[in-house]
Amino acid sequence: MQLEIYQVIVPIISIVFIVSLLQRFWAGKVGWQESMVGGFFWVAVIFFAFFPDLISQKIAGLFGIKSNINAVIFLCLGLIFFFQYKLFLLVKQQQSALTALTRKLALENRQKEEDK
Amino acid sequence: MIQPQDICVVIPAYNEGSVIAEVVGGVRNEGFAHILVVNDGSSDDTAAQAERAGAVVISHLVNRGAGAGAQTGIQYARLNGIAHIVQIDADGQHFPEDIRKLAEVMDQEQADIVIGSRFMSRNKDIPMIRVLYNKLSNVFTNWFCTRWYSDTQSGFRMLNRVAIESLDLHIDGFGYCSEMIILGEKSGLIIREVPIRVAYTAYSMSKGQDLYMGINTAMNILWKLVSHPK
């Protein structure tokens, strides 16, 4: 099997991300669900790098898409939406935390002034 | 009968240094001595002006939006055992003498929240574009309510202790007006409306919502209903 350059680079990058994910899991920074999803994603990327035609044809066949190129485009769009949603969720969480913190500080500062 | 000393007037304010002293003074002149200005991370002298005019000032270190300011006022009331709060806008569009109207309706109808409605009586001063935005917001908000409210976006509201204890607003921006009504209904609070007057000036028109903010508000409400359904 003749390997293209991307078929070496993409799996290496994926393995780096998998190792990093495992480290984060062991350090308790991410839960097992997120680790499973992340791990599955990066393993899928490795397989996709090794067998791009076979996998894209299977996906095209599964969803009734005519060509495997279209299947790749739809898959990428799906992934972009997924990551966009994750980002949106993160921003909302950060905003809520910032508001809660701002409110707590404001009320505490007021209390200190009243106690003086 | 609810007395002025039983009411804390909460004014969320962001960069309102040029008008806040007048608004606080107007409320004081109506006999309401307990005034809280929630300075929402203003970059001007809003806090100093409000304090000089006789208000208690709570300052957010960073700007978090009108809804965040309103919830801070509610939280303050909750912590300090305040029986009633009245929220009014800081841009001077509301008439402080209308606070008594809200108090009367709260008393007579045993309501938990009383909303000052700009659309229950004829208010010629309201610009058409504001009428349009508000009507659209009403349709959107009332979709999630069991009753029809004529002014879901009014910032002039009175809350009693039950409402103060039960409301936990999550929307930081202007969407809190709708959120309060939807949440209030879900919590079984009695919500009533009373007609109020408003004075729109060039200054107050420069504040408030535009179309982009309205769409953003609608998205925030939808998101809130999905992420915090209770």
Side-chain angles (χ1 to χ4, degrees):
Chain A
M1 182 182 167
Q2 173 89 34
L3 288 180
E4 302 290 339
I5 290 179
Y6 79 87
Q7 288 178 309
V8 178
I9 294 173
V10 171
I12 289 172
I13 292 171
S14 300
I15 287 167
V16 169
F17 274 102
I18 289 170
V19 171
S20 157
L21 196 66
L22 285 172
Q23 283 175 332
R24 286 171 61 79
F25 175 68
W26 284 323
K29 289 180 182 172
V30 289
W32 68 268
Q33 293 108 321
E34 199 177 329
S35 306
M36 288 284 282
V37 171
F40 180 79
F41 171 76
W42 289 114
V43 170
V45 168
I46 293 172
F47 273 100
F48 200 76
F50 281 125
F51 313 105
D53 291 338
L54 180 72
I55 293 173
S56 57
Q57 273 162 12
K58 289 273 182 204
I59 293 169
L62 187 70
F63 291 105
I65 301 164
K66 281 182 181 168
S67 78
N68 58 342
I69 297 297
N70 285 349
V72 172
I73 292 168
F74 287 132
L75 190 70
C76 289
L77 279 175
L79 283 174
I80 288 168
F81 275 115
F82 172 72
F83 287 120
Q84 178 70 31
Y85 173 73
K86 288 275 287 180
L87 221 75
F88 174 76
L89 213 62
L90 198 70
V91 169
K92 283 284 173 194
Q93 282 171 351
Q94 296 300 313
Q95 281 181 339
S96 292
L98 181 59
T99 300
L101 185 66
T102 303
R103 181 171 299 129
K104 195 171 189 310
L105 279 171
L107 289 166
E108 276 179 8
N109 287 343
R110 180 70 227 162
Q111 192 59 50
K112 276 180 200 163
E113 274 178 45
E114 283 176 8
D115 290 345
K116 272 181 194 172
Chain B
M1 183 72 192
I2 301 166
Q3 299 300 319
Q5 60 268 26
D6 300 328
I7 298 171
C8 173
V9 179
V10 177
I11 312 174
Y14 174 61
N15 287 346
E16 305 278 11
S18 59
V19 292
I20 194 71
E22 201 183 324
V23 174
V24 171
V27 173
R28 283 178 71 87
N29 288 342
E30 283 302 314
F32 299 94
H34 196 179
I35 304 163
L36 171 74
V37 170
V38 182
N39 168 39
D40 188 23
S42 300
S43 54
D44 66 359
D45 60 346
T46 297
Q49 291 286 351
E51 217 152 30
R52 214 168 294 144
V56 169
V57 177
I58 290 184
S59 285
H60 285 175
L61 291 176
V62 287
N63 177 242
R64 298 306 305 143
Q71 180 60 32
T72 299
I74 292 172
Q75 196 84 9
Y76 175 85
R78 200 179 288 165
L79 292 171
N80 289 278
I82 292 165
H84 304 89
I85 60 171
V86 170
Q87 292 182 348
I88 67 167
D89 288 355
D91 58 10
Q93 67 168 273
H94 296 134
F95 289 82
E97 52 264 44
D98 284 342
I99 295 173
R100 291 177 199 280
K101 280 195 201 172
L102 272 73
E104 260 177 47
V105 169
M106 178 165 277
D107 216 20
Q108 285 165 5
E109 303 206 16
Q110 297 292 300
D112 299 306
I113 299 173
V114 179
I115 301 166
S117 169
R118 294 162 288 178
F119 304 111
M120 282 175 86
S121 59
R122 187 134 182 88
N123 259 320
K124 287 184 203 162
D125 291 342
I126 307 175
M128 275 311 290
I129 192 75
R130 283 290 163 97
V131 174
L132 182 69
Y133 286 158
N134 281 287
K135 297 279 179 201
L136 285 173
S137 302
N138 283 349
V139 171
F140 181 77
T141 307
N142 283 313
W143 182 264
F144 301 99
C145 298
T146 55
R147 286 170 64 109
W148 178 270
Y149 300 96
S150 66
D151 192 358
T152 57
Q153 303 309 300
S154 172
F156 198 169
R157 292 163 180 224
M158 184 166 185
L159 280 66
N160 70 1
R161 188 71 200 167
V162 180
I164 290 168
E165 287 288 351
S166 62
L167 286 175
D168 210 0
L169 307 173
H170 288 95
I171 296 178
D172 288 343
F174 284 110
Y176 86 93
C177 294
S178 301
E179 186 189 15
M180 188 187 285
I181 297 172
I182 297 167
L183 212 64
E185 273 207 348
K186 277 188 180 165
S187 310
L189 301 180
I190 300 167
I191 305 173
R192 294 290 179 264
E193 287 185 292
V194 63
I196 55 158
R197 293 164 301 152
V198 273
Y200 277 95
T201 59
Y203 178 78
S204 65
M205 276 301 286
S206 69
K207 299 275 177 170
Q209 298 203 61
D210 54 23
L211 183 61
Y212 169 77
M213 287 164 86
I215 294 168
N216 202 24
T217 297
M219 297 301 289
N220 278 331
I221 294 165
L222 283 177
W223 174 250
K224 195 268 158 191
L225 290 171
V226 172
S227 59
H228 297 92
K230 285 182 183 172

